[in-house]
Amino acid sequence: MVNRKMEGKTEADPKPETSSETSPPKTEEQKRISSNIEEATKLKAEGNELFKQKEYRKAIRKYRTVFAYVNGLLDSNHELARYVHSGDGSDTGFVTEDQNKSISNLKVSCYSNLAQCYLNIDKPEKCVQCCEDAEEILGEERNTKILYRKGQAYMKLNEFDKAKTCLFAAVKSNVNDKGMRQTLEVFKEKYKAWNQAEKQKQREMFGGKF
């Protein structure tokens, strides 16, 4: 969450130096990229405030708008980088490594928050999609909150095997979280009832042989 006192403020630019090591001034493209990231961060903070007020649909609109500001910004290692230049033939139109990390973290955080919003308004399918979008960015890295929310969504969808995988992994990563453990106990009861119902269906299907 963005510190409200820091909104609209940036670090002061260093004073010009006469040394040959002085950093070149920012290009217009670099300024645009920085501005986009700042605006996206503010939108996420506004979404967080709306979430606290339980204005989930309004929060969703804020979080979704974040992507309009950061999608399409390329780092210099992107496969499309060789086709894009800043105008003077340099790579200064690309995001820096630190900016790229900030953008990735911002996207993952927004997807995670969107997932919770969709859970809260009973749209588990969209929750799962947001979790998968976040996981695509994370790669092999695991995020406990995303696993947990994905597991909850699968439980709502009665996809109990998938829910089991996600919830057990989430609790294993955060064994001291009381809420997660309680959800796991609820899941176990639902899974037991579902499993018994499935066995009953099989018995009826095969004439009581099982």
Side-chain angles (χ1 to χ4, degrees), residues 23 34 81 111 113-114 116-117 131 137 156 163 193 196 202 210:
S23 299
S34 295
Y111 278 132
N113 293 349
L114 280 165
Q116 186 62 58
C117 284
C131 291
I137 297 170
K156 282 179 174 283
Q196 289 175 344
Q202 290 181 5
F210 290 89

Side-chain angles (χ1 to χ4, degrees), residues 67-205:
F67 298 99
Y69 284 88
V70 296
N71 280 352
L73 299 180
L74 305 180
D75 67 87
S76 57
N77 293 320
H78 193 279
E79 61 184 31
L80 296 178
R82 57 180 172 160
Y83 301 110
V84 185
H85 296 284
S86 63
D88 60 359
S90 70
D91 289 341
T92 52
F94 302 121
V95 299
T96 64
E97 184 176 344
D98 286 342
Q99 287 175 327
N100 192 52
K101 185 176 180 180
S102 294
I103 290 168
S104 294
N105 290 341
L106 191 60
K107 286 183 175 181
V108 169
S109 181
C110 283
Y111 278 132
S112 179
N113 293 349
L114 280 165
Q116 186 62 58
C117 284
Y118 284 127
L119 267 181
N120 291 349
I121 62 173
D122 201 27
K123 292 186 180 291
E125 298 94 342
K126 289 189 176 183
C127 173
V128 170
Q129 183 59 60
C130 288
C131 291
E132 290 178 345
D133 289 337
E135 288 171 336
E136 185 176 348
I137 297 170
L138 290 167
E140 295 182 359
E141 181 183 346
R142 281 192 167 188
N143 182 295
T144 303
K145 284 185 178 179
I146 290 168
L147 279 170
Y148 179 56
R149 289 165 185 172
K150 193 177 182 183
Q152 288 177 293
Y154 278 135
M155 188 163 60
K156 282 179 174 283
L157 293 166
N158 292 330
E159 295 190 38
F160 291 105
D161 287 330
K162 292 179 180 179
K164 180 180 179 181
T165 299
C166 294
L167 291 175
F168 272 86
V171 172
K172 184 178 180 180
S173 298
N174 197 355
V175 293
N176 295 322
D177 190 297
K178 185 177 178 180
M180 286 188 184
R181 294 201 310 272
Q182 288 176 341
T183 299
L184 187 59
E185 291 305 312
V186 171
F187 164 77
K188 288 178 180 178
E189 291 299 318
K190 289 188 175 183
Y191 183 78
K192 182 179 178 181
W194 171 79
N195 199 33
Q196 289 175 344
E198 287 298 304
K199 288 180 178 178
Q200 180 61 32
K201 286 180 184 178
Q202 290 181 5
R203 283 194 294 269
E204 292 172 359
M205 186 181 299

Side-chain angles (χ1 to χ4, degrees), residues 4-12 38 42:
R4 286 288 176 181
K5 293 182 180 179
M6 296 300 293
E7 283 189 9
K9 296 182 180 180
T10 56
E11 292 184 12
E38 288 174 9
K42 289 178 183 178

Side-chain angles (χ1 to χ4, degrees), residues 20-53:
S20 60
E21 296 181 359
T22 301
S23 299
K26 283 186 176 181
T27 65
E28 289 303 313
E29 182 65 11
Q30 286 174 323
K31 291 177 182 178
R32 182 186 72 82
I33 290 169
S34 295
S35 177
N36 278 19
I37 293 172
E38 288 174 9
E39 188 61 32
T41 302
K42 289 178 183 178
L43 284 164
K44 175 180 173 284
E46 290 170 9
N48 290 350
E49 290 300 317
L50 288 166
F51 183 92
K52 288 179 182 179
Q53 298 166 21

